[in-house]
Amino acid sequence: MICTIDTVNVCRYRQKSEKFDPGNFIRHIRTAHPTLATAHGLQQEDSSAPGKQTKIMKVPVALDQQKLLEGIIKLVCLHNVPMMCVEWEGFKIILQPICDALKVQLNRKNLVCHLGAAVEKIRSAIFSAVQGNLLCLKIDSATRLGRHILGVNIQFYDTEQEDIVIYTIGNVSSMVITFPKMFLQSEKYRMIELNQRHTGKYLKSKILEILGMYQVTLDQIFAVTCDNGANMIATVKQMQSDLENSFSLPTDEDDHTDTTEQLDWMSSLEKEFSSTITLVRCAVHTLQLSVADVVKKFDTEIRKCTAVSNNCRKIAYKAIFNEESLSPLYSKTRWGGIFEMLKHFCDHEDLFTDLGQQYPELGKIF
């Protein structure tokens, strides 16, 4: 079988009759004789031509509006994705067909409303769960980006689940710091932000404020766990005092005599309720302070090791260290990080001994 499509120039392409393949023959004509292939209608159409639309495959997907909103809210609140993600061009390519099918519109502004509705549902569920239960509180404060936040969570035993349940009520959302101003302006969505000196009286007022949102009274509080800060301890003691003052004996204005039995009963009642709110000092914080008292005796040596750990991260030594050989850094309030750093130097003693001979600032520990 001989190619004779080009009558001017003789083509040498041929196939044996018993092995003839039309596909290979057409492919040869398209490659060797593109102009003639087009004239004879053998050339493939250009799929990238502007006039031709790409065929989109339609696939059925089981998804409703509630699931869509749940997924977007989790992206924001759990995975730290900014709310403007729904307006990202790449994300809209994926999200817009779903929104069109469900007849829902998502943008940065109305996402705030959906988040607010989700917060209200969570708060309503917590409100129902804590009513009538004996609760334990955990309180702590933190500072981030120049903002002082008080965290409060409640713990109680759920008889239905037969397990201890923990709810964080003093921090509506871990992502409130990144929410727009329109969301932060609403007091019912705001975290407990501390804008005054962290005195015991001030902290107590903020805690009672958040407890009041869930109609939790002091007589429901069994214990309060906090760190060893003087202000935290003063906060709990003031809560104990408020609870004691809330209990008083009914008195008859016409009878001003107190019998011995009444005085004894009043004394026993006062002793009983004086320990209703138990102060529990955080065991981890106590352990941290205990270890810190021991570690600070070796502060000079630890500072030397810390300096070497920081020097290892200089650009001049980037080619020497990889992720495994690079000494870890630590937080000043976590003694475990100091241990990890010292252990790393001990495990790589030979390496740092050799480096110390060439680079003095890396040889201060051996």
Side-chain angles (χ1 to χ4, degrees), residues 339-354:
F339 170 78
E340 293 293 338
M341 180 188 67
L342 298 178
K343 183 177 182 299
H344 177 85
F345 284 131
C346 292
D347 293 342
H348 299 81
E349 180 177 354
D350 294 338
L351 172 63
F352 285 96
T353 300
D354 295 339

Side-chain angles (χ1 to χ4, degrees), residues 89 299 350:
E89 183 178 355
D299 188 61
D350 294 338

Side-chain angles (χ1 to χ4, degrees), residues 1-2 14-21:
M1 305 295 295
I2 302 172
R14 60 189 63 206
Q15 290 184 8
K16 293 183 178 180
S17 300
E18 62 271 13
K19 295 183 179 181
F20 173 69
D21 186 345

